[in-house]
Short mmCIF file of all heavy atoms in Angstrom, two decimals:
data_model
loop_
_atom_site.label_atom_id
_atom_site.label_comp_id
_atom_site.label_asym_id
_atom_site.label_seq_id
_atom_site.Cartn_x
_atom_site.Cartn_y
_atom_site.Cartn_z
N ARG A 139 48.56 -4.35 43.25
CA ARG A 139 48.26 -5.62 43.90
C ARG A 139 47.76 -6.63 42.88
O ARG A 139 46.69 -7.24 43.04
CB ARG A 139 47.23 -5.50 45.04
CG ARG A 139 47.46 -4.37 45.99
CD ARG A 139 48.73 -4.49 46.75
NE ARG A 139 48.81 -5.64 47.65
CZ ARG A 139 49.95 -6.00 48.23
NH1 ARG A 139 51.08 -5.39 47.98
NH2 ARG A 139 49.98 -7.04 49.05
N ARG A 140 48.51 -6.85 41.84
CA ARG A 140 48.07 -7.70 40.74
C ARG A 140 49.20 -8.57 40.25
O ARG A 140 50.36 -8.12 40.19
CB ARG A 140 47.62 -6.67 39.67
CG ARG A 140 46.86 -7.15 38.55
CD ARG A 140 46.79 -6.08 37.46
NE ARG A 140 46.75 -6.84 36.24
CZ ARG A 140 45.62 -7.28 35.70
NH1 ARG A 140 44.46 -6.98 36.21
NH2 ARG A 140 45.64 -8.02 34.61
N VAL A 141 48.87 -9.80 39.95
CA VAL A 141 49.89 -10.72 39.40
C VAL A 141 49.37 -11.39 38.15
O VAL A 141 48.22 -11.84 38.12
CB VAL A 141 50.24 -11.87 40.38
CG1 VAL A 141 51.37 -12.72 39.81
CG2 VAL A 141 50.59 -11.36 41.74
N ASP A 142 50.17 -11.40 37.10
CA ASP A 142 49.85 -12.15 35.88
C ASP A 142 50.91 -13.19 35.63
O ASP A 142 52.09 -12.94 35.89
CB ASP A 142 49.83 -11.21 34.65
CG ASP A 142 48.76 -10.16 34.78
OD1 ASP A 142 47.63 -10.45 34.37
OD2 ASP A 142 49.06 -9.07 35.27
N ALA A 143 50.49 -14.32 35.16
CA ALA A 143 51.44 -15.34 34.72
C ALA A 143 51.13 -15.68 33.27
O ALA A 143 50.00 -16.06 32.96
CB ALA A 143 51.32 -16.59 35.60
N ASN A 144 52.10 -15.47 32.39
CA ASN A 144 51.91 -15.62 30.96
C ASN A 144 50.65 -14.86 30.49
O ASN A 144 49.89 -15.34 29.64
CB ASN A 144 51.78 -17.10 30.56
CG ASN A 144 53.08 -17.83 30.79
OD1 ASN A 144 54.15 -17.26 30.67
ND2 ASN A 144 52.98 -19.12 31.19
N GLY A 145 50.43 -13.68 31.08
CA GLY A 145 49.30 -12.85 30.67
C GLY A 145 47.97 -13.19 31.35
O GLY A 145 47.01 -12.49 31.17
N THR A 146 47.98 -14.28 32.11
CA THR A 146 46.72 -14.67 32.83
C THR A 146 46.76 -14.09 34.22
O THR A 146 47.70 -14.32 34.97
CB THR A 146 46.64 -16.23 32.95
OG1 THR A 146 46.84 -16.81 31.67
CG2 THR A 146 45.32 -16.63 33.54
N PRO A 147 45.72 -13.32 34.61
CA PRO A 147 45.69 -12.80 35.97
C PRO A 147 45.55 -13.93 36.99
O PRO A 147 44.78 -14.84 36.75
CB PRO A 147 44.43 -11.91 35.99
CG PRO A 147 44.01 -11.75 34.58
CD PRO A 147 44.55 -12.92 33.81
N LEU A 148 46.34 -13.87 38.06
CA LEU A 148 46.23 -14.88 39.11
C LEU A 148 45.45 -14.34 40.28
O LEU A 148 45.61 -13.20 40.66
CB LEU A 148 47.62 -15.27 39.62
CG LEU A 148 48.60 -15.94 38.67
CD1 LEU A 148 49.80 -16.46 39.46
CD2 LEU A 148 47.96 -17.07 37.92
N ASN A 149 44.63 -15.21 40.83
CA ASN A 149 43.83 -14.81 41.99
C ASN A 149 44.54 -15.34 43.24
O ASN A 149 44.36 -16.48 43.64
CB ASN A 149 42.43 -15.44 41.83
CG ASN A 149 41.47 -14.86 42.85
OD1 ASN A 149 41.78 -13.90 43.55
ND2 ASN A 149 40.31 -15.47 42.96
N LEU A 150 45.36 -14.47 43.85
CA LEU A 150 46.15 -14.89 45.02
C LEU A 150 45.55 -14.29 46.29
O LEU A 150 45.04 -13.17 46.29
CB LEU A 150 47.60 -14.40 44.93
CG LEU A 150 48.44 -14.89 43.73
CD1 LEU A 150 49.87 -14.42 43.87
CD2 LEU A 150 48.40 -16.42 43.59
#
Side-chain angles (χ1 to χ4, degrees):
R139 312 298 296 169
R140 194 192 147 87
V141 185
D142 296 273
N144 294 328
T146 308
L148 296 190
N149 190 10
L150 300 185

